[in-house]
Amino acid sequence: MDSDKYPGTTSRRRFVKGVLGASVLAGVGTAGGAAVTTATNPAGLGGGNIEFLGIELVEGPAPRGMPLIPVEIGDDGTISGLWPEAEQRDVGGRSVAVAQTDVGGTTYSTEWFQYCGIQDIPAIDPEADQDNTFRYDESSPYDWQSEDVTAGDPMNVADFEDYNSWGNGIGQAGLGKPATGTWRSDGVDSEETLPVQVLRIADSEADRMRQDPTMAAWLDAAAPENVLAWLSKCTHFCCVPGFKSTPQSTQFNAENDVYCPCHQSVYDPFSLVSESFVALPRPEGE
Ligand code: FES
């Protein structure tokens, strides 16, 4: 008898735990939904429902596009991402640092990037004093990057001169020239970098995109010399996708798009769309 009681108690406890665990997970899964905001806001800063402009998700399990980064080009050709001046705002009775500004009629906020753990890294703090230059990364899938430039160097628009004809044997040449890099990540642990993809769009594609008023406004305000940039973090499970970065993309009709090798999500960098999601809050004390 006694020996029967223990297994019974144990399994009941397990069952209760399992139910609790499942309901918590269900809340997170509904998501991005209100459950996340309610559960996390008291313990963090910022976050919540936010509209963003991104490259469009066209295929696969990812929930939405990847957020764009407004580009600036310096007098010497250096390419940087815009990080708005931070200011303190009263959010729900608390003073929270917010970095946002109008870009071509869109309210651009650094909260666009608060997902996939990015919200936890120090460089995402609106007030963090980081270098905004895009720098070439170490493990680029593009031969031109390993041959012509050095990892860690600032990206320069002069490196993209052949943007109207560039190709690498994957899909169609002449759509634009890509690069991979990091942003606001100088001197930080490689686990804590902001991965970016830059694509200097071919004139023919940019002309086509400009037929759409939203895209024209973004290209004019935030893609000087056709240099478009976005955070390279798949909105599904946070892998780093790429434009013409693997021949495997051909099997999924994604050879002229941005392809995520983890679960075959496909994004169209020549289509920019407005969407919303629940940005995750930054940790306290950052
Ligand atoms: S498709 Fe799953 S991580 Fe990109």
Side-chain angles (χ1 to χ4, degrees), residues 42-53:
L45 299 173
N49 201 37
I50 193 145
E51 252 182 66
F52 72 102
L53 203 65

Side-chain angles (χ1 to χ4, degrees), residues 61 234 236-239 260 262-265:
C234 185
H236 184 222
F237 285 158
C238 314
C239 288
C260 183
C262 292
H263 313 94
Q264 289 75 52
S265 283

